[in-house]
Amino acid sequence: DSPQHTHHDPSSERSDARRYNLCMLPDLQMNDHLRLRKPHPCGSYEWKVVRLGADIGLACMGCQHRVLLTRRELMKRMKSNLSQQEREKPIDPK
């Protein structure tokens, strides 16, 4: 037996990690309207996504202050994605 048969395929493990990340990390689009758990010092809970990348850029809807958060930090602080709720609403057949 060669040692190659004993270890598992690393590509399958990588896809599992990717699937896990997709479950954990928010599905965001530019200009999404987010509600965070704690208010900004100006009093607003609502933020707009202004940058997508390794870090997520947010602009406060109350005072336009901008911050950068890692995706993981944003996941902890985010209460809801108001834009995503709008996108997922069933269209009224009226």
Side-chain angles (χ1 to χ4, degrees):
D1 271 344
S2 67
Q4 291 171 345
H5 292 287
T6 56
H7 81 280
H8 64 283
D9 180 20
S11 66
S12 67
E13 188 177 281
R14 209 174 296 125
S15 69
D16 288 345
R18 196 178 301 124
R19 199 173 308 121
Y20 172 70
N21 282 343
L22 286 176
C23 293
M24 249 191 64
L25 298 174
D27 174 32
L28 295 173
Q29 294 178 20
M30 281 297 286
N31 298 315
D32 270 3
H33 194 156
L34 309 180
R35 176 165 286 146
L36 300 189
R37 295 184 185 282
K38 290 185 176 174
H40 189 241
C42 77
S44 175
Y45 284 86
E46 297 183 4
W47 297 76
K48 185 167 82 171
V49 177
V50 293
R51 178 181 188 272
L52 290 174
D55 294 329
I56 307 299
L58 300 177
C60 177
M61 302 287 274
C63 65
Q64 305 311 307
H65 181 78
R66 292 167 85 118
V67 296
L68 275 179
L69 293 177
T70 62
R71 286 180 177 262
R72 183 171 290 146
E73 185 64 30
L74 179 57
M75 198 58 213
K76 282 196 279 188
R77 294 191 193 185
M78 193 166 86
K79 192 169 187 181
S80 58
N81 182 335
L82 304 172
S83 301
Q84 192 173 28
Q85 290 170 4
E86 284 295 314
R87 285 195 292 269
E88 290 173 357
K89 259 188 199 165
I91 297 160
D92 238 0
K94 287 177 191 170

